[in-house]
Structure formats: structure tokens, C-alpha cells
Amino acid sequence: MDILRAGLAAAVGLAGLLAASISLAGEASGGDAEKGESVYGSTCVACHGAKGKGTIPGVPDFTKKKGVLTKSDQELFDNIKNGFQSPGSFMAMPSLGGNPDLTDQDVRNVIAYIRQKFAKD
Ligand code: HEC
């Protein structure tokens, strides 16, 4: 009986963990691409360009196959929110694209937008 109860507790614990990780993934997803368009146009376009190919050296081409948009929503969310510099890169992506007024939802929205607009795979 005790073993059964322990098993049940473990199963419940696992289900809780699963639910927690699902809601965590949800934190970075669920953006609205339509709303993301104005975020992109006001904050990101200067460096990333209207075509997503980058306007200055060191900026990744969003339209490249197997490029940065193959990363998960969570990773892109973190890198946009906190800023990001890949090893050996001579130019960093500034935190929130240098616009501290952007909310987490703005970041989710702009991720949905760049995926919809530029992702090739
Ligand atoms: C001042 C120029 C600049 C602005 C403004 C800017 N970025 Fe970037 N971004 C960069 C650079 C440079 C990199 C590449 C950094 C590296 O790889 O070291 C980058 C990388 C990225 C990446 C790839 C991250 C990864 O994990 O590889 C994404 C996604 C991105 N930017 C989205 C955005 C969004 C969305 C905005 C607007 C909110 C924005 N950027 C604004 C310069 C900029």
C-alpha cells in the first residue's frame, strides 16, 4: 500500500513537472505576428533590415536556411531580451534591441513576426 502511494505521489509530481515545463515554453511562445510588425519596424529594422538580411556586417541573415531562426522561441526570447553576442562576433545584439520600453509580450510578438516573415525552414 505504501509503495502504491509512493508511486502515485511520484506520478503526480511528474505530471506537475510536465505542466510546469509546458507553461515555461509558453512564456516565450504565443506571440502575435501582426502586433510584432510595428515592434520590428520601430526597433529592429535599423540593424536587421526590412528584408531581414541585416543592414550592417555582423548581423545575421534571418532568411538564411538553417539560420538563427531555427533556434527555439525560448532561446530567441532570452537572446533578444538580454542581449546576445556569439563567440568571435565583433558586434553584439543589444538587449531589447536597445529599446527598454519593450515588454515581454512585445518580444513574443516580434519573434512570431520574424518567423512568419523571414523564416525559410
Ligand atoms: C544595433 C543593432 C541591432 C538592433 C537594433 C537589433 N539587433 Fe538583433 N542582432 C544584432 C546583431 C549584431 C546580432 C548578432 C549578434 C551576434 O551573433 O554576436 C543580432 C542577433 C539577433 C538575433 C539572433 C539571436 C540568436 O540567438 O542567434 C535575433 C533573433 C535578433 N537579433 C532579433 C532582433 C530583434 C527582434 C530586434 C528588435 C527588437 C533586434 N534584433 C534589434 C543587432 C541588432
Side-chain angles (χ1 to χ4, degrees):
M1 193 58 184
D2 274 354
I3 287 169
L4 203 76
R5 213 171 276 155
L8 198 71
V12 169
L14 202 72
L17 226 111
L18 249 153
S21 62
I22 287 166
S23 73
L24 237 177
E27 269 180 29
S29 333
D32 180 333
E34 238 168 82
K35 292 186 179 143
E37 183 168 9
S38 64
V39 176
Y40 190 83
S42 62
T43 304
C44 321
V45 73
C47 297
H48 287 282
K51 294 191 167 148
K53 289 175 173 294
T55 57
I56 38 180
V59 177
D61 181 353
F62 288 153
T63 67
K64 202 174 127 195
K65 263 191 157 225
K66 306 210 184 330
V68 295
L69 296 187
T70 57
K71 296 184 182 181
S72 69
D73 282 346
Q74 186 67 52
E75 191 172 359
L76 295 181
F77 180 90
D78 291 342
N79 288 345
I80 294 168
K81 184 165 179 179
N82 303 321
F84 168 76
Q85 188 160 18
S86 43
S89 153
F90 54 88
M91 185 172 158
M93 156 82 193
S95 165
L96 293 174
N99 181 355
D101 293 339
L102 293 189
T103 63
D104 285 0
Q105 189 57 43
D106 288 332
V107 176
R108 286 187 279 269
N109 293 345
V110 77
I111 291 171
Y113 174 74
I114 60 181
R115 284 202 191 288
Q116 187 190 78
K117 178 104 177 158
F118 305 124
K120 282 282 187 301
D121 39 25

